[in-house]
Amino acid sequence: MGKQKQIEYFEGLLYKHGPSHEALDWNSKESQQLRAEVLKEILVYGKKSTHISLLDVGCGFGDLFKYLKKEHKICYTGYDISSKIIDEARKKYPQAHFEVRDILEDQNVPKFDYVFCSGVFNIRTNEIKEHKTHVRSMIERMYGLAKCGVAINFLSEGRLPPADPEGLNAGRYFYFNPEEIVNYCRHITDDYILRHDYHPGDFTVYLLK
């Protein structure tokens, strides 16, 4: 049920705002780009930094491709669960490759050098416990699909004013405890990096191979 609610949520924003950053629930193009810049820094630490294959999970309109292609030679693939959003991505970036695909349901997904995931877990459409379980399953799945590493960002409760997490997550956005996500990561790999230095309400983790 959470998946269908998520599709409906973002397709509703697409209908309202058109294929813009607002349809993906980003505050601004600048915040979207900042997160892309931090995600791509995993290439500094990974085994490869050029001529890479990259999977963008929950790709939206594929804007990550725009930010990456300027500096890196990549073979970009974007997956999203919304067919309407994928249609817009194909129009916007015809030189990239997009598919309607759910990596948890589809067991035939090929491997990529890197797997990126930006903003996918910001919106909660099911119970908190179920959302956290889903996130953990996604992290494990993405790590299994990556040859060199995974980069994922999350909204953070870590640098916001002290609040009851239950109350903080009562709205449409979900704020994660960075330590809890790091604990997920250390059960998957010993090689991980937490970035909590670029935005007060956001953090990124790199899981390396």
Side-chain angles (χ1 to χ4, degrees), residues 159-177:
R159 289 173 63 185
L160 295 173
D164 171 18
E166 294 290 335
L168 183 66
N169 286 318
R172 63 177 176 172
Y173 299 117
F174 192 85
Y175 297 86
F176 290 86
N177 182 326

Side-chain angles (χ1 to χ4, degrees), residues 44-55:
V44 174
Y45 306 99
K47 296 176 182 177
K48 292 179 69 176
S49 60
T50 188
H51 294 92
I52 61 172
S53 60
L54 185 144
L55 172 62

Side-chain angles (χ1 to χ4, degrees), residues 8-27:
E8 291 171 359
Y9 178 78
F10 284 103
E11 289 186 352
L13 291 179
L14 174 61
Y15 178 79
K16 182 178 180 180
H17 299 291
S20 67
H21 67 274
E22 294 172 299
L24 302 176
D25 218 340
W26 292 111
N27 287 333

Side-chain angles (χ1 to χ4, degrees), residues 11 14 19 59-62 78-94 96-101:
E11 289 186 352
L14 174 61
C59 64
F61 305 127
Y79 291 171
D80 205 283
I81 57 175
S82 166
S83 60
K84 291 182 180 179
I85 286 177
I86 285 294
D87 286 344
E88 294 296 337
R90 287 170 176 159
K91 293 175 188 175
K92 199 169 186 179
Y93 303 108
H97 179 73
F98 298 98
E99 293 184 38
V100 179
R101 214 158 182 176

